Each structure stands twice: as C-alpha cells, then as structure tokens.
C-alpha cells in the first residue's frame, strides 16, 4: 500500500517536471520561429548565456557555491576606465537615467541609447513616475558616500550587476554594450555628485 502511494506521488512529480520541460522547449522554439531579425535586432538576442541558463533553471536561486564562482567570473568581465576616473557629468547622467530609448530594430548600430534606470529605480525628486523592481537610488551618494571605492563600486554595478548578485534583474549595461564607458561615468556622477538632484534635499 505504502509503495503504491509513493509510486503514484513520484510519478505525478515526474510528469509535472516533464510538462514544464516541454513548455520551456516549446516557448523557446516558438520565439525562434516567430522572431525575425530586423536591423540591429538580430536573433542572438534570443541566445541564453551560461549565467542566464543557471538562473532560469534554478528559479533565480542557484546553489551558493556555484553563484559565488559565477559572480567571480562576471567580475572579471568588467572593463574599468583606462584613465582611472569614474565620475562624468551628472547632467548628462540625469538625461540618460530618464531615457528608455535604444536598441530598437530601426536604431543605427552604435548609436548610444538611454539607461532606462527610471524603469526600476526612483532616481530623484520631481519624477512623474518610476519603477520599483530595484531599490530607490534617491539620496544614494548622501547615504553611501562618494569616495574612490564607492565610485568604482557604482561603475562596476552598472557595467555588470551580476558580478554582485548573480541572478540580478538589472541589465548588464557595460557587458552587453548598451552603455559606453563615458555614459556609465555620467551615471556614476548622477548617483554620487553632491550637486546632482539625486543628492538634493
Ligand atoms: C530591470 C530593472 C533595472 C534597471 C533597468 C536598472 N536597475 Fe539598477 N538594480 C536593479 C535591481 C533589482 C537592483 C538590486 C540589486 C540587484 O539585484 O542587483 C539594482 C541595483 C542597483 C544599484 C546598487 C544599489 C545598492 O544599494 O548598492 C545601483 C547603483 C543601480 N542599480 C543603478 C542603476 C542605474 C544607474 C541604472 C540605469 C542605467 C539601473 N540601475 C537600471 C534593477 C534595475
């Protein structure tokens, strides 16, 4: 009797897993079939890299030792500015943070887009709306300081946030070339410059 119950339970678990596997494969096949490359939006956008695969298959909770090892790999992808300077122009950074355009099929290759930071973060006072997927960045520099270590941290976070939190929802802006070195510096200034609206009262 006991054996039968276990048998049925495990069989149910098996078929659920199999069905989930099929849905994933089906969804990927559907995207590959229906997405057509146009302009700069080529099919490589559908390719899952190793880190995304680990996060997607583990519900964003991979085993700790694997997460730590892969975060170290992600850290090594970060290219810091050759001039050792992390702070650009906060005014340019403010425009970037509020600009969600870019990487559309009809954009020209290499034309810099926005950072769309407002989609996930509160940035400063006076915003009409902002998303809350990420923490509020209002008063960031005031609360965290703006010395060299903090500047480097913010640069790295924007370049590749998966170096700090493997399954972070934040896009890897530098790593995927969505933002240039100069643009990331402008965003570092936006978050850390005492004159920036992020750090205003
Ligand atoms: C799709 C959502 C999303 C977008 C877009 C996004 N972020 Fe994030 N960000 C997050 C999340 C979620 C976190 C929380 C930590 C984590 O999971 O990485 C975060 C964390 C951060 C942190 C670290 C905060 C801390 O307390 O140390 C900084 C700095 C940051 N984001 C800056 C930016 C900037 C600048 C932009 C625009 C270029 C941006 N983010 C765009 C989701 C996003």
């Amino acid at each position: 009797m006991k054996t039968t119950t276990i048998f049925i339970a495990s069989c149910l678990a098996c078929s659920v897993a199999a069905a989930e596997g099929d849905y994933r494969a089906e969804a990927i096949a559907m995207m590959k079939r229906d997405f057509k490359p146009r302009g700069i939006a080529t099919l490589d956008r559908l390719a899952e890299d190793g880190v995304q695969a680990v996060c997607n298959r583990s519900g964003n909770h991979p085993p700790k030792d694997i997460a730590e090892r892969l975060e170290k790999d992600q850290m090594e992808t970060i290219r810091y500015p050759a001039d050792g300077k992390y702070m650009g122009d906060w005014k340019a950074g403010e425009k970037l943070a509020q600009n969600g355009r870019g990487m559309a099929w009809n954009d020209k290759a290499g034309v810099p887009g926005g950072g769309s930071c407002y989609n996930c973060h509160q940035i400063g006072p006076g915003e009409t709306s902002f998303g809350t997927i990420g923490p509020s960045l209002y008063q960031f520099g005031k609360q965290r300081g703006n010395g060299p270590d903090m500047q480097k941290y913010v640069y790295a976070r924007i370049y590749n946030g998966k170096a700090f939190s493997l399954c972070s929802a934040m896009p890897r802006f530098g790593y995927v070339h969505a933002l240039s070195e100069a643009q990331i510096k402008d965003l570092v200034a936006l978050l850390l410059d005492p004159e920036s609206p992020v750090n205003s009262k």
Side-chain angles (χ1 to χ4, degrees), residues 28-89:
I28 292 172
M30 192 189 298
M31 285 195 289
K32 287 196 170 148
R33 191 184 62 224
D34 293 350
F35 280 34
K36 303 280 177 255
R38 273 181 100 179
I40 62 164
T42 52
L43 289 185
D44 59 358
R45 292 186 179 192
L46 296 183
E48 199 183 31
D49 76 8
V51 168
Q52 290 165 330
V54 164
C55 292
N56 290 341
R57 303 296 182 285
S58 65
N60 289 333
H61 292 289
K64 200 162 166 271
D65 58 326
I66 294 182
E68 279 170 3
R69 237 179 307 151
L70 293 174
E71 281 165 4
K72 221 166 136 244
D73 288 350
Q74 292 296 296
M75 195 64 93
E76 277 164 20
T77 69
I78 300 172
R79 298 285 163 267
Y80 292 99
D83 64 3
K85 296 200 176 88
Y86 299 104
M87 298 270 266
D89 169 9

Side-chain angles (χ1 to χ4, degrees), residues 96-97 114-121 123 132-137 140 144 150 153-154 157-158 161-162 164-165 167-171 173 179 187-188 190-191:
L96 273 173
S116 68
C117 317
Y118 75 98
N119 268 323
C120 296
H121 297 284
I123 310 285
T132 53
I133 292 174
S136 170
L137 299 174
F140 189 87
R144 303 275 286 269
M150 186 49 64
Y153 164 71
V154 174
R157 257 281 180 192
I158 300 170
K162 289 184 188 294
F164 303 88
S165 163
C167 299
S168 170
M170 181 160 151
F173 292 100
L179 292 175
L187 288 160
V188 174
L190 173 70
L191 296 187

